Amino acid sequence: DAGVTQSPTHLIKTRGQQVTLRCSPISGHKSVSWYQQVLGQGPQFIFQYYEKEERGRGNFPDRFSARQFPNYSSELNVNALLLGDSALYLCASSWMTGPKTQYFGPGTRLLVL
Amino acid sequence: KNEVEQSPQNLTAQEGEFITINCSYSVGISALHWLQQHPGGGIVSLFMLSSGKKKHGRLIATINIQEKHSSLHITASHPRDSAVYICAVMSGNTPLVFGKGTRLSVIA
């Protein structure tokens, strides 16, 4: 079975632009979480979706939004990019919410110039 | 919010050494995860535990709920173990809270 996939793998944008990152969970997993990892830090929680509904949101501005599709894949959108949005964006899936093993994708590395 | 502290931040070991990485947290949890992150960025889940001890190959994870502390041990370390090891905790259905990670380098 394929693991969690993310696209694109790398992305370069300029300040003020908008970006969309994509995640496909492991088959059968209904929960998708997004994390931001700035260089040298641990990941920070951005969003969790389960059964197409937002189940949690981290301390991120409204420029960050996400959604989950009927096939459980997910998109993370970031508007009005700032230099500080440069980070590795990780997606993780699990079969449901709660204390379950999360399976991480390879991440999308975003550089904002 | 749970505060997660890891020690040491950086660790260099000779091949074959026994390695211990520590994680402490401030609030009671429902589960603790140990994760491995290689230089490319991808994260692999090593263990999820809520009590006691788990073993997988040369890796052992322990947790002491009363002391709010967990350890990850690597026996007979090998250069391929070089990575960043991250502790993350969950309370109920709250999102994972991560430590900053321990960067391990194992030298042949």
Side-chain angles (χ1 to χ4, degrees):
Chain A
D1 284 341
V4 178
T5 59
Q6 292 186 243
S7 63
T9 55
H10 295 81
L11 202 51
I12 300 175
K13 292 284 188 178
T14 57
R15 280 178 297 174
Q17 286 189 311
Q18 176 264 342
V19 68
T20 297
L21 311 181
R22 296 175 176 84
C23 172
S24 292
I26 290 173
S27 177
H29 285 190
K30 298 181 179 179
S31 176
V32 170
S33 298
W34 287 96
Y35 301 92
Q36 181 196 64
Q37 186 178 25
V38 175
L39 195 63
Q41 301 293 318
Q44 296 285 323
F45 171 73
I46 310 175
F47 285 109
Q48 183 182 48
Y49 276 77
Y50 177 70
E51 288 281 18
K52 302 178 287 294
E53 291 188 0
E54 182 183 304
R55 292 299 186 97
R57 183 187 182 112
N59 188 24
F60 281 80
D62 291 343
R63 300 184 296 107
F64 288 76
S65 63
R67 55 181 175 168
Q68 187 177 33
F69 299 97
N71 66 354
Y72 302 110
S73 66
S74 178
E75 285 183 352
L76 174 69
N77 296 284
V78 187
N79 295 321
L81 285 167
L82 302 174
L83 296 180
D85 295 331
S86 295
L88 179 69
Y89 288 85
L90 294 158
C91 169
S93 77
S94 59
W95 71 277
M96 63 178 295
T97 60
K100 301 292 182 288
T101 297
Q102 293 199 17
Y103 296 84
F104 287 82
T108 293
R109 195 168 295 279
L110 172 65
L111 177 62
V112 182
L113 301 176
Chain B
K1 181 187 171 183
N2 224 327
E3 301 290 333
V4 180
E5 297 287 337
Q6 287 187 236
S7 63
Q9 289 185 334
N10 294 283
L11 182 57
T12 300
Q14 294 291 324
E15 183 174 358
E17 284 187 7
F18 180 84
I19 290 164
T20 296
I21 299 170
N22 297 298
C23 173
S24 60
Y25 50 93
S26 57
V27 177
I29 62 170
S30 53
L32 182 144
H33 298 249
W34 280 104
L35 310 166
Q36 181 191 56
Q37 186 171 35
H38 281 282
I43 291 179
V44 174
S45 179
L46 299 175
F47 296 103
M48 184 184 72
L49 63 165
S50 56
S51 65
K53 175 180 174 178
K54 286 190 175 180
K55 184 176 188 292
H56 185 256
R58 294 181 295 107
L59 302 178
I60 303 166
T62 64
I63 187 168
N64 185 318
I65 297 296
Q66 287 73 30
E67 295 186 2
K68 297 186 177 60
H69 180 269
S70 176
S71 293
L72 176 69
H73 306 285
I74 305 176
T75 62
S77 59
H78 190 277
R80 65 175 174 266
D81 298 326
S82 298
V84 175
Y85 292 84
I86 303 172
C87 169
V89 301
M90 173 181 284
S91 302
N93 285 329
T94 61
L96 284 174
V97 177
F98 296 78
K100 291 184 178 181
T102 294
R103 185 175 300 274
L104 171 65
S105 297
V106 181
I107 301 169

